[in-house]
Amino acid sequence: MSTTLTRVNVTGMTCGHCVASVTEEIGEIAGVEGVDVTLETGEVAITSDRELARADIAAAVAEAGYGLA
Amino acid sequence: MSTTLTRVNVTGMTCGHCVASVTEEIGEIAGVEGVDVTLETGEVAITSDRELARADIAAAVAEAGYGLA
């Protein structure tokens, strides 16, 4: 059992609703165990039980209506 | 049948999610028929079938997590 930590930066989030949307969409990626979003900086820390593809994260963020920096 | 138009200004909205929250909460006030929110200015135009109490609007806006200017 190992945990992978992936960090990305998301642009365009302005409020707690945005954080909730991003957290929800990233949380639906297979293997994701935790999502920690810092609104002020756009930093998102994702813990997962496997390596994540950046394309999958980008797709989830886009689904929420935002983009990767 | 007459329609009343009430205008208020809401502070703190930053994105479409905020607009949706404010629209939903104001829409639940008895008699409200329509809610038109302009995100950029915070202006909210409310149409209703009766006079609305500003206190009721303030309570709805507070419920959504925002305030009246």
Side-chain angles (χ1 to χ4, degrees), chain A residues 44-68:
Chain A
V44 180
I46 308 161
T47 51
S48 55
D49 65 6
R50 66 197 74 169
E51 294 288 330
L52 300 179
R54 184 177 167 94
D56 290 342
I57 300 172
V61 169
E63 181 69 26
Y66 306 90
L68 289 186

Side-chain angles (χ1 to χ4, degrees), chain A residues 3-7 19 21 23-26 33 37-38 40 42 44 50 52-53 56 59:
Chain A
T3 297
T4 299
L5 175 62
T6 307
R7 294 184 183 278
V19 171
S21 294
T23 300
E24 179 182 348
E25 292 296 338
I26 292 178
E33 296 171 332
V37 178
T38 303
E40 291 72 18
V44 180
R50 66 197 74 169
L52 300 179
D56 290 342

Side-chain angles (χ1 to χ4, degrees), chain B residues 6-41:
Chain B
T6 306
R7 294 184 183 280
V8 297
N9 278 274
V10 172
T11 59
M13 297 185 294
T14 57
C15 75
H17 299 115
C18 301
V19 171
S21 294
V22 168
T23 300
E24 179 182 348
E25 292 297 338
I26 292 178
E28 291 178 0
I29 299 171
V32 169
E33 297 172 332
V35 184
D36 181 35
V37 179
T38 303
L39 173 60
E40 292 71 18
T41 60

